[in-house]
Amino acid sequence: MKNIKITYKLVAGFTLVLLLSLATGVLGIAGFQAVNDKSTSLERIIDKEELFLLNYIKSQKMNEDLIQLLNPNNSADIQSELVNLEEQFSAVQENTVLLKKMLTSPEEQAIMQTIDSISADYGILIGEISEALIQGDYTKANELNKTQLTDIWE
């Protein structure tokens, strides 16, 4: 080692420091990427839960609005309220489409199939109740609500 010129010793030392710095940088970037992947996965889970919750809240709001419409003494404009219900139902369906894209496990997909089935039945029933309300048949609308709509949510 004494026979090596100082220039070569300095070059070797700087090269070693450079290689160690490079290795540290690569490991740091890989670590950040792993953390980023996990946080993205966590965001996806939170987004799924938020969408489920949002759909639940919107569905509850739709049910409350529908119950108000079923009151024959209600002075609200039936047509505009039904349009509002349709808009709320469309928003729930749009969220459901987004939610389907996020679901990956077989258990989640099975739950989504059940939700789809309930949603389809709900849409058909809301259409029947809307038609009865438009015709002024509150008795039929209330009967559909009490029997079939209750069955859907149970």
Side-chain angles (χ1 to χ4, degrees):
M1 193 79 167
K2 281 187 172 185
N3 295 340
I4 300 175
K5 290 185 175 183
I6 191 79
T7 305
Y8 294 122
K9 290 180 184 177
L10 286 173
V11 169
F14 282 124
T15 304
L16 182 62
V17 169
L18 182 65
L19 289 175
L20 287 174
S21 296
L22 187 62
T24 303
V26 168
L27 290 174
I29 290 171
F32 280 129
Q33 186 60 42
V35 168
N36 187 34
D37 291 345
K38 290 185 184 210
S39 69
T40 302
S41 174
L42 182 60
E43 286 173 12
R44 205 184 100 211
I45 291 169
I46 291 171
D47 287 344
K48 281 191 294 189
E49 291 175 354
E50 286 175 357
L51 274 176
F52 269 121
L53 183 60
L54 185 61
N55 271 2
Y56 176 78
I57 291 169
K58 285 186 176 188
S59 296
Q60 291 302 315
K61 173 80 169 90
M62 287 170 39
N63 286 336
E64 290 169 9
D65 291 349
L66 182 62
I67 289 170
Q68 288 178 357
L69 281 178
L70 293 173
N71 180 358
N73 298 326
N74 186 1
S75 62
D77 178 22
I78 298 287
Q79 285 294 100
S80 65
E81 291 299 319
L82 289 175
V83 168
N84 183 30
L85 272 177
E86 288 177 18
E87 289 171 356
Q88 291 178 46
F89 187 68
S90 293
V92 168
Q93 288 178 318
E94 288 172 14
N95 287 347
T96 301
V97 169
L98 292 174
L99 198 51
K100 283 182 188 179
K101 294 177 183 176
M102 296 179 180
L103 303 180
T104 54
S105 74
E107 295 84 13
E108 291 174 332
Q109 292 173 354
I111 290 170
M112 199 67 230
Q113 286 177 340
T114 303
I115 291 171
D116 278 344
S117 174
I118 291 170
S119 182
D121 291 345
Y122 184 80
I124 291 168
L125 188 56
I126 290 297
E128 292 175 10
I129 291 172
S130 297
E131 190 62 37
L133 288 172
I134 290 170
Q135 295 173 359
D137 191 349
Y138 287 91
T139 305
K140 180 180 178 183
N142 275 300
E143 187 61 33
L144 286 168
N145 179 51
K146 287 178 185 171
T147 57
Q148 295 182 27
L149 194 58
T150 303
D151 291 344
I152 287 175
W153 290 110
E154 290 179 352

